[in-house]
Amino acid sequence: MHNKTLAELSHALHQREYSSVELTRYFLERIERLDTQINSFISVTAEMALAQAQAADQRLQSGNASPLTGIPIAHKDIFCTEGVKTSCGSKMLDNFIAPYNATVVEKCHTAGLVMLGKTNMDEFAMGSSNETSFYGPVKNPWDTQAVPGGSSGGAVAAVAARLAPVATGTDTGGSIRQPAALCGITGLKPTYGLVSRYGMIAFASSLDQGGPIGDNAKDVALLLNVIAGFDERDSTSLNHPQEDYTAHLNDSIAGLKIGLPKEFFGEGLNAEVGKIVEAAIKELEQAGATLHEIELPHTHLSVPVYYIIAPAECSSNLSRYDGVRFGHRCENPQDLLDLYKRSRAQGFGAEVKRRIMIGTYALSAGYYDAYYLKAQQIRRLISNDFTDAFKQVDVILGPTSPTTAFKIGEKVNDPISMYLSDINTISVNLAGLPGLSIPAGFVNQRPVGLQLIGNYLNEARLLNVAHQYQQRTDWHRQNPPKFL
Amino acid sequence: MAWEVVIGLEIHAQLATNSKIFSGASTAYGAPPNTQACAVDLGLPGVLPVLNEKVVRMAAKFGLAIGAPVAPRSVFARKNYFYPDLPKGYQISQYELPIVNKGQIQIEIDGKEKTIGITRAHLEEDAGKSLHEDFQGLSGIDLNRTGTPLLEIVSEPDMRSPKEAIAYMKKIHSLVRYLDICDGNMQEGSFRCDANVSVRPQGQKEFGTRSELKNLNSFRFVERAINIEIERQIDLLESGGTVRQETRLYDADKNETRPMRSKEEANDYRYFPDPDLLPLLIESEFLEQIKAELPELPDDKKQRFIQQYGLSLYDASGLTSSRELADYFEEIVKLSNSDAKLCANWVMGDLAALLNKNNLEITDSKVSTIQLAAMLRRISDKTISGKIAKQVFEAMWNGEGDADTIIEKRGLKQVTDTGAIEKLIDEVIVNNPKQLQDYRDGKEKLFGFFVGQVMKVSKGKANPKQVNELLKKKLEG
């Protein structure tokens, strides 16, 4: 059952071949048996899941089920879930039981999806390897010595190991796409504002975007149908009419203009990874797409710009964790300052502290213009690069990550090298564009991801290209050997 | 040395919305602690602010009323600092791009008008309240007030005396109530201000170093705090010291200001545009619509009162100080069909005195417009004199009924029968032979004495005009 697509599972549930309770039990059992190897879940909500599955079965029986009713899902532990611990991967929120549901979670509940649990992640989504989690690192199902990528490492690893058919994640600088690439699955970061941020714990508000993670493009499209949509509780939510993202999956891509930015293929790209990407490009060319060399001249500035803007926003967003109302509070505070200092010193991990300090500095009087303001100006230039590019091409393509998964511990003490693993994904967040990563092959049994970038609200087009590619290849059908 | 005082005010007017600026929680005053704070107000992880459209309308109204440009694009920014009653660790405010830009307002000082510039007005959310009294060794936090919408109105340093500062503050107070955007309740903190105060030698161009007096929540405190601060600064300068730029807290009990924090200790608020809120865009159609909804503004009403009713600037200013008072006045003019000046005198005189004494608003007046108008008609038709009317008015205030009932019951009707008045005059003349002789010998000043005596024996009821005429004839003999 764990190797079935969402469409197949949905069909089986609707045909009453098995019940949602049976399906849910099946995945709960897999989690219990296999997750010790990869540590992809922070909380497993078995009891709640079975109750939801029962309700889903009733809906399926009474004929008012939606396409995904009864299908199990794992939510990244960044989404607030009512009555369930929502830790954001941090000691700071280890004791935080959310009193409300995030819009994404609410939409999944309404559609009848069954929540299996909450997945592991880098602390407050800050990391590219899932090593900053308070709950320990997540391991790559393809090689448990290697990282799964981050920050949605738990969500991606869970789907890659088939512990959940589908999952939600969030992407601030590549946190869905980079782990999807490193674990060989499909993950989409939608256009900024397409998926509501309400109830999604903020890291960098102008960059954060929730998105679907699945085995293949069609699964991702089906989940996007559920979670996308305008939300009046999020002022940055786009009032965009509801689309069916599966509607154009089967369209031909003959004549599709693919842009290949030379900046994505330059220095830093692992040669073997480069070859895999070349092969994928050939495949798409054979499907009728035309190739065009393009330029995104400000790409090299995206990492430095990101590491001003994201920390600046996070330094403010994380001020609410002060030990006063919720979250970790130090023991026996002597006075107010002591309460703040020790609660935060104890509650936050090293990477979070590093970014709070960078961000606080960047926003300080006297430095604001030189850092934050300048970064915003360059952000505009990066965005303009894409606008210009999309005058010539329909989608932009390149490697999601310049390398395959690296060893756990390899980059922990080298933050710059760690930050550079998001070099191809970050500019997409800065511009607010949709980006998709799909598996395109292996280097030494480690997956390689292909990134497709679309113009604003062109998710359907990206999914169409991805689906057409997946019709011609079977990289997405392959499972890690230990999780067959 | 002669010193000149320079004052600028930052007024915080709480906007009279039902719900908060960025959440749906109620803004009603006085609820049990923490019962009106929702997830957004509590700053729970994951929550987001959504701007209340009503506050935009209210701020725009204010902008239009002070002749200020309402910004087509303004931006909400985060002001970052840690405090237990600030749940998010930042306050959402407006910083570089406020909704209301430069405008101005007129105040009256000693019968003369003066223009006070308004630098800007911006929208922001209020913080919660820290309660230090009721918890031994601990502090309580009430987040009901968190997220209450405020309009911060920043003046230019245009005021030169505490008196001007109060006049300005009262003018803004009256304006926001005219516009129906703030209830003006100072006890509940709906209208409060910070004062920037400095002094400089008379004639010097540069401003002196200022101190900022925090959270002054009554007109009286503003005046007292500024006065005490001016004294402190002058004493300091005259004894060779310098004023430090700092924030000072006014202690009403001790009537002193004391330092809170100096410029060096001031927080670096690390303002930056709030990424959770889009820039606020205001279209001209929206402004046109608001313009059409504006009531007659105090200054326009004042000018109209001067022209239409022939009132003095002083009377017109007083009567237009609140919309309700102006309405009251206009209604009694209409109902009584009497001289507007007479109406103004009664509203500004006896009525205002009793309201003040009882600490009541015009809307709480115990004498209705209908009652007062009926009494004024009795003055105009000479049923009672102005002096007797004071008695009638007081009786009405005390709930003894309408003017006619009181006049009847107390027998206050004016004596206008010539024969009856002559009888009284004769009586007075007979009883005061010496004064009569003196008068006839040329001591004309004694005429007033005779009028007084006649009024006295008539118990104030004789028509004064008739008394004058008849007395003159009789005394001349």
Side-chain angles (χ1 to χ4, degrees):
Chain A
M1 275 194 272
H2 60 274
N3 282 326
K4 294 213 176 343
T5 65
L6 286 196
E8 288 163 349
L9 289 176
S10 173
H11 183 77
L13 287 170
H14 279 84
Q15 294 303 310
R16 320 294 303 148
E17 286 170 28
Y18 37 78
S19 68
S20 174
V21 169
E22 285 169 301
L23 187 63
T24 302
R25 282 218 171 93
Y26 178 85
F27 278 100
L28 287 171
E29 185 278 326
R30 262 184 89 79
I31 293 168
E32 198 177 333
R33 183 159 49 85
L34 299 169
D35 195 41
T36 48
Q37 295 180 51
I38 56 170
N39 192 29
S40 67
F41 279 84
I42 290 174
S43 307
V44 178
T45 50
E47 208 173 302
M48 191 180 268
L50 289 169
Q52 286 178 351
Q54 246 164 23
D57 282 331
Q58 273 167 17
R59 274 179 74 175
L60 285 158
Q61 222 151 22
S62 61
N64 65 350
S66 79
L68 299 191
T69 299
I71 298 212
I73 186 170
H75 288 302
K76 186 176 180 179
D77 209 19
I78 199 168
F79 290 103
C80 283
T81 42
E82 191 177 344
V84 175
K85 178 166 96 171
T86 301
S87 75
C88 220
S90 181
K91 178 181 179 184
M92 184 58 91
L93 290 178
D94 185 45
N95 64 2
F96 179 64
I97 310 291
Y100 74 104
N101 280 324
T103 298
V104 162
V105 172
E106 200 59 58
K107 279 175 174 281
C108 288
H109 283 356
T110 306
L113 283 135
V114 173
M115 181 174 83
L116 295 169
K118 309 288 296 289
T119 60
N120 203 345
M121 56 182 286
D122 277 302
E123 185 180 7
F124 283 102
M126 299 176 200
S128 309
S129 65
N130 222 116
E131 292 168 286
T132 70
S133 171
F134 173 63
Y135 301 92
V138 176
K139 288 151 194 172
N140 193 316
W142 290 92
D143 174 357
T144 51
Q145 304 292 306
V147 303
S151 67
S152 308
V156 163
V159 173
R162 308 311 294 154
L163 306 186
V166 70
T168 55
T170 62
D171 189 318
T172 304
S175 281
I176 287 175
R177 291 160 291 155
Q178 183 255 17
L182 270 46
C183 292
I185 60 165
T186 304
L188 172 71
K189 181 207 96 76
T191 304
Y192 182 80
L194 186 66
V195 173
S196 168
R197 291 188 298 116
Y198 189 78
M200 193 177 104
I201 298 179
F203 158 19
S205 314
S206 74
L207 300 160
D208 295 342
Q209 180 60 202
I213 293 164
D215 174 66
N216 59 74
K218 190 174 179 185
D219 286 8
V220 163
L222 282 165
L223 183 55
L224 186 61
N225 277 351
V226 173
I227 64 174
F230 175 67
D231 182 4
E232 60 180 14
R233 288 176 297 184
D234 175 0
S235 307
T236 59
S237 175
L238 294 173
N239 205 341
H240 176 69
Q242 200 79 38
E243 275 187 63
D244 176 4
Y245 294 97
T246 62
H248 295 283
L249 292 176
N250 292 317
D251 290 2
S252 159
I253 58 164
L256 176 85
K257 287 186 259 179
I258 296 180
L260 304 171
K262 60 178 195 198
E263 292 79 6
F264 285 7
F265 294 89
E267 202 188 341
L269 176 62
N270 174 288
E272 299 299 314
V273 170
K275 277 184 204 156
I276 301 272
V277 176
E278 293 299 333
I281 292 168
K282 286 228 165 61
E283 193 66 51
L284 289 166
E285 199 176 13
Q286 274 164 25
T290 60
L291 308 177
H292 306 265
E293 197 166 293
I294 58 164
E295 284 184 26
L296 298 170
H298 296 94
T299 299
H300 66 290
L301 295 173
S302 61
V303 170
V305 162
Y306 177 85
Y307 279 97
I308 295 296
I309 293 173
E313 292 181 8
C314 105
S315 72
S316 172
N317 282 333
L318 269 59
S319 292
R320 69 191 60 197
Y321 309 110
D322 56 6
V324 175
R325 296 165 315 285
F326 48 76
H328 178 74
R329 176 196 282 236
C330 68
E331 289 198 1
N332 302 318
Q334 296 308 299
D335 54 26
L336 185 60
L337 199 61
D338 184 46
L339 168 72
Y340 286 155
K341 280 174 144 176
R342 281 198 292 129
S343 299
R344 288 168 68 81
Q346 294 163 5
F348 290 138
E351 183 62 26
V352 170
K353 285 178 193 162
R354 173 160 34 232
R355 297 200 196 187
I356 289 174
M357 283 190 282
I358 293 171
T360 303
Y361 183 82
L363 290 176
S364 297
Y367 298 101
Y368 178 86
D369 288 1
Y371 292 106
Y372 188 78
L373 203 61
K374 182 64 79 183
Q376 288 291 13
Q377 288 162 349
I378 299 172
R379 181 180 187 172
R380 172 60 61 85
L381 297 178
I382 290 167
S383 182
N384 290 347
D385 283 355
F386 282 107
T387 307
D388 291 343
F390 283 119
K391 284 175 189 157
Q392 309 160 47
V393 299
D394 301 316
V395 298
I396 292 170
L397 184 148
T400 308
S401 180
T403 65
T404 55
F406 44 91
K407 287 269 179 235
I408 292 172
E410 190 182 322
K411 296 187 181 181
V412 205
N413 296 318
D414 186 358
I416 302 292
S417 148
M418 183 79 86
Y419 297 169
L420 285 173
S421 70
D422 291 327
I423 190 159
N424 296 339
T425 49
I426 276 178
S427 55
V428 178
N429 296 78
L430 290 169
L433 294 164
L436 176 72
S437 182
I438 49 174
F442 294 87
V443 173
N444 301 327
Q445 285 88 52
R446 289 188 194 172
V448 171
L450 193 68
Q451 179 176 224
L452 294 163
I453 303 165
N455 208 342
Y456 297 106
L457 297 167
N458 267 356
E459 281 78 4
R461 193 62 186 272
L462 290 182
L463 290 161
N464 165 227
V465 179
H467 182 70
Q468 289 306 306
Y469 178 77
Q470 289 178 342
Q471 294 301 102
R472 305 172 67 94
T473 58
D474 68 349
W475 306 115
H476 62 288
R477 305 293 306 166
Q478 305 200 16
N479 279 8
K482 289 184 189 163
F483 301 89
L484 292 174
Chain B
M1 192 189 302
W3 296 92
E4 186 180 44
V5 176
V6 176
I7 303 165
L9 295 185
E10 290 168 19
I11 293 174
H12 289 89
Q14 179 180 323
L15 296 175
T17 55
N18 294 326
S19 60
K20 294 186 176 175
I21 183 168
F22 298 120
S23 84
S26 167
T27 53
Y29 180 81
N34 299 309
T35 55
Q36 287 180 172
C38 67
V40 173
D41 305 325
L42 293 174
L44 288 184
V47 297
L48 295 170
V50 177
L51 181 62
N52 182 342
E53 193 213 352
K54 286 222 172 84
V55 307
V56 179
R57 293 182 165 273
M58 289 179 173
K61 260 187 177 181
F62 181 79
L64 291 170
I66 60 163
V70 176
R73 180 175 181 277
S74 62
V75 169
F76 286 97
R78 292 186 184 177
K79 179 180 182 179
N80 295 283
Y81 64 96
F82 285 96
Y83 205 68
D85 60 24
L86 187 72
K88 297 188 295 294
Y90 58 84
Q91 178 196 28
I92 304 176
S93 181
Q94 294 187 309
Y95 184 53
E96 282 179 329
L97 298 170
I99 182 165
V100 175
N101 291 303
K102 215 165 166 42
Q104 61 182 50
I105 204 165
Q106 306 289 327
I107 59 169
E108 284 95 46
I109 285 291
D110 303 328
K112 271 186 274 174
E113 293 200 313
K114 175 172 177 174
T115 300
I116 304 293
I118 292 172
T119 317
R120 60 183 280 169
H122 66 253
L123 289 166
E124 64 183 26
E125 58 178 349
D126 208 344
K129 257 196 306 206
S130 294
L131 309 159
H132 303 293
E133 280 83 20
D134 304 334
F135 308 87
Q136 251 184 347
L138 298 169
S139 291
I141 297 164
D142 178 6
L143 296 177
N144 283 352
R145 210 179 60 185
T146 309
T148 300
L150 300 177
L151 186 67
E152 180 173 335
I153 303 156
V154 183
S155 85
E156 293 284 303
D158 283 350
M159 287 151 275
R160 294 290 173 267
S161 68
K163 210 169 154 189
E164 288 186 10
I166 298 302
Y168 165 77
M169 194 174 169
K170 284 191 168 160
K171 194 62 188 273
I172 297 287
H173 187 251
S174 141
L175 181 61
V176 294
R177 291 177 39 165
Y178 258 85
L179 297 171
D180 223 359
I181 62 174
C182 171
D183 68 14
N185 190 324
M186 297 176 81
Q187 263 131 28
E188 293 177 4
S190 305
F191 191 86
R192 51 189 201 262
C193 99
D194 303 335
N196 285 301
V197 179
S198 66
V199 297
R200 63 181 170 191
Q202 197 77 253
Q204 180 182 300
K205 258 193 154 173
E206 301 77 37
F207 291 129
T209 307
R210 68 171 193 273
S211 59
E212 186 182 2
L213 308 179
K214 276 283 178 203
N215 231 8
L216 307 168
N217 58 2
S218 82
F219 293 121
R220 201 158 49 103
F221 286 173
V222 172
E223 188 162 14
R224 280 167 59 185
I226 294 176
N227 270 320
I228 212 97
E229 178 60 15
I230 293 168
E231 244 175 70
R232 188 189 70 86
Q233 289 189 12
I234 292 175
D235 282 353
L236 199 60
L237 292 168
E238 290 191 339
S239 60
T242 50
V243 175
R244 293 200 326 152
Q245 189 176 329
E246 62 189 358
T247 303
R248 297 180 72 87
L249 190 73
Y250 175 66
D251 183 334
D253 294 333
K254 295 184 185 155
N255 195 32
E256 62 173 29
T257 69
R258 56 168 179 269
M260 282 173 74
R261 54 176 181 265
S262 73
K263 188 188 172 193
E264 294 74 35
E265 295 164 307
N267 280 310
D268 177 356
Y269 291 120
R270 292 172 282 122
Y271 281 100
F272 75 107
D274 191 334
D276 287 333
L277 291 161
L278 301 171
L280 173 59
L281 304 180
I282 295 179
E283 287 167 358
S284 53
E285 296 82 60
F286 179 83
L287 280 185
E288 287 307 317
Q289 189 200 334
I290 288 174
K291 208 176 262 176
E293 290 166 9
L294 280 184
E296 186 183 21
L297 297 173
D299 284 347
D300 297 338
K301 205 182 273 273
K302 184 178 70 188
Q303 287 310 323
R304 180 167 67 80
F305 276 25
I306 292 170
Q307 275 161 21
Q308 183 178 340
Y309 300 116
L311 298 178
S312 67
L313 176 63
Y314 177 82
D315 282 344
S317 292
L319 288 170
T320 55
S321 66
S322 91
R323 201 158 143 180
E324 292 77 16
L325 188 65
D327 287 349
Y328 188 102
F329 164 75
E330 290 209 272
E331 212 170 314
I332 60 161
V333 173
K334 203 172 83 194
L335 291 172
S336 69
N337 207 12
S338 302
D339 176 39
K341 179 66 191 160
L342 177 71
C343 296
N345 287 345
W346 276 91
V347 174
M348 298 277 287
D350 294 65
L351 176 60
L354 275 175
L355 289 172
N356 265 340
K357 197 173 133 196
N358 294 286
N359 208 7
L360 293 174
E361 296 289 325
I362 184 69
T363 44
D364 310 319
S365 169
K366 296 191 177 178
V367 177
S368 71
T369 48
I370 296 172
Q371 282 180 305
L372 181 54
M375 189 195 86
L376 294 175
R377 276 203 304 274
R378 291 296 163 259
I379 299 176
S380 302
D381 70 14
K382 302 195 170 64
T383 307
I384 52 172
S385 68
K387 203 164 173 195
I388 290 292
K390 285 181 188 292
Q391 261 187 65
V392 176
F393 184 74
E394 217 161 291
M396 288 199 298
W397 182 274
N398 293 327
E400 289 179 36
D402 294 339
D404 284 350
T405 316
I406 294 163
I407 293 166
E408 184 64 33
K409 210 166 81 187
R410 296 198 177 181
L412 297 175
K413 204 168 167 194
Q414 189 160 240
V415 180
T416 50
D417 171 44
T418 311
I421 294 174
E422 281 179 332
K423 255 176 85 181
L424 294 170
I425 291 173
D426 291 343
E427 193 186 319
V428 167
I429 290 176
V430 169
N431 289 336
N432 295 283
K434 183 165 184 306
Q435 283 83 351
L436 179 68
Q437 196 51 55
D438 287 352
Y439 179 83
R440 287 185 172 160
D441 288 346
K443 233 181 164 181
E444 286 185 11
K445 268 202 295 193
L446 280 168
F447 186 72
F449 164 80
F450 284 103
V451 173
Q453 289 300 308
V454 175
M455 291 310 287
K456 197 172 159 189
V457 295
S458 80
K459 299 198 179 76
K461 290 186 289 184
N463 179 306
K465 202 172 161 219
Q466 284 173 294
V467 170
N468 268 293
E469 287 166 6
L470 295 170
L471 192 61
K472 202 154 246 176
K473 277 191 212 149
K474 292 254 179 191
L475 288 174
E476 249 110 77

